[in-house]
Amino acid sequence: AQSVTQLGSHVSVSEGALVLLRCNYSSSVPPYLFWYVQYPNQGLQLLLKYTSAATLVKGINGFEAEFKKSETSFHLTKPSAHMSDAAEYFCAVSDGTGGYNKLIFGAGTRLAVHP
Amino acid sequence: DVKVTQSSRYLVKRTGEKVFLECVQDMDHENMFWYRQDPGLGLRLIYFSYDVKMKEKGDIPEGYSVSREKKERFSLILESASTNQTSMYLCASSFSGQGNEKLFFGSGTQLSVL
């Protein structure tokens, strides 16, 4: 069965500092991996996704993530945090079965950015 | 702009009531999903549908049912609401594909069962 583990339910960084949000996955087949972001009082929106085309994936708002098969990881990074990055971030995995796009989500990491 | 619209932002119901949560998408998506979101647990899939009148159980279907009579509308039904169903409910939709399609989410319905 597939699963996702996000290390750290809360991460706090200073404005301008590196953002690193950790995600490890478990999958018996080559996975599709996603990062979604949820701003207060909103639904989730896609930041980026890995679909085996390239191991380093660039997303919106300056975020990127690197797929490392040997470490079963898909960590999200941003070189310089902005106050507007404060949100909850979810890592998710799909095995692509049936084309249903059924995602299994991690527990989420809440990012706080302070001045 | 593409939209997934959930009928209520906040809902308060009493134990034992039958509750309907409605979701409408305007993107002609084949797939629709209901998730519940709880602090520390992330999003958990309740049910999904890949076509009109078709439905599949997710990871936590107990106590819920769904209906998809039209392609654009997916309803979640709590047959007899209980306090442990107090949660944020998120609807999502996507095109069919290889399993890597983007999900579009509604803004959520915060349900409180008293």
Side-chain angles (χ1 to χ4, degrees):
Chain A
Q2 294 181 303
S3 66
V4 171
T5 302
Q6 291 184 240
L7 299 175
S9 59
H10 290 82
V11 170
S12 181
V13 300
S14 300
E15 193 173 19
L18 171 73
V19 175
L20 171 61
L21 305 182
R22 300 178 187 272
C23 172
N24 288 90
Y25 70 91
S26 172
S27 177
S28 58
V29 298
Y32 299 122
L33 293 160
F34 305 79
W35 277 99
Y36 280 81
V37 61
Q38 185 179 34
Y39 298 104
N41 299 314
Q42 295 185 27
L44 280 70
Q45 54 183 281
L46 182 68
L47 267 182
L48 50 81
K49 65 179 181 181
Y50 166 76
T51 59
S52 77
T55 56
L56 184 61
V57 181
K58 294 188 183 298
I60 62 171
N61 301 337
F63 284 92
E64 62 182 37
E66 186 172 10
F67 173 71
K68 292 187 176 180
K69 184 178 179 181
S70 61
E71 299 176 8
T72 61
S73 68
F74 190 57
H75 302 330
L76 182 70
T77 60
K78 183 174 180 178
S80 177
H82 192 272
M83 298 295 288
S84 61
D85 294 326
E88 191 157 21
Y89 293 79
F90 294 92
C91 183
V93 63
S94 166
D95 64 5
T97 301
Y100 299 143
N101 306 316
K102 188 176 69 165
L103 297 187
I104 305 300
F105 285 86
T109 297
R110 188 169 296 279
L111 175 67
V113 182
H114 51 85
Chain B
D1 229 6
V2 296
K3 271 193 174 175
V4 178
T5 303
Q6 295 184 231
S7 54
S8 303
R9 182 76 180 100
Y10 298 97
L11 211 52
V12 180
K13 295 293 182 182
R14 297 216 173 270
T15 303
E17 279 193 76
K18 190 169 186 176
V19 181
F20 293 86
L21 302 183
E22 305 287 348
C23 176
V24 177
Q25 51 96 1
D26 65 359
M27 295 165 281
D28 202 35
H29 285 164
E30 294 86 4
N31 299 328
M32 295 189 75
F33 308 84
W34 276 106
Y35 285 90
R36 66 176 280 176
Q37 181 180 10
D38 299 289
L41 296 177
L43 279 72
R44 294 177 291 166
L45 183 63
I46 304 171
Y47 268 97
F48 68 101
S49 168
Y50 53 91
D51 201 351
V52 175
K53 297 190 185 296
M54 305 304 290
K55 61 185 179 184
E56 293 282 344
K57 292 180 180 179
D59 299 315
I60 52 165
E62 296 79 18
Y64 303 94
S65 62
V66 291
S67 173
R68 192 162 180 207
E69 296 296 318
K70 294 185 177 181
K71 189 175 186 179
E72 67 270 18
R73 186 179 297 270
F74 192 36
S75 303
L76 180 69
I77 304 156
L78 286 66
E79 297 291 342
S80 177
S82 64
T83 55
N84 62 13
Q85 293 178 309
T86 291
S87 186
M88 171 67 79
Y89 290 87
L90 291 170
C91 176
S93 68
S94 77
F95 288 114
S96 288
Q98 298 177 1
N100 60 1
E101 298 296 325
K102 174 181 177 179
L103 262 63
F104 292 83
F105 282 85
S107 298
T109 296
Q110 179 63 53
L111 173 67
S112 297
V113 182
L114 306 178

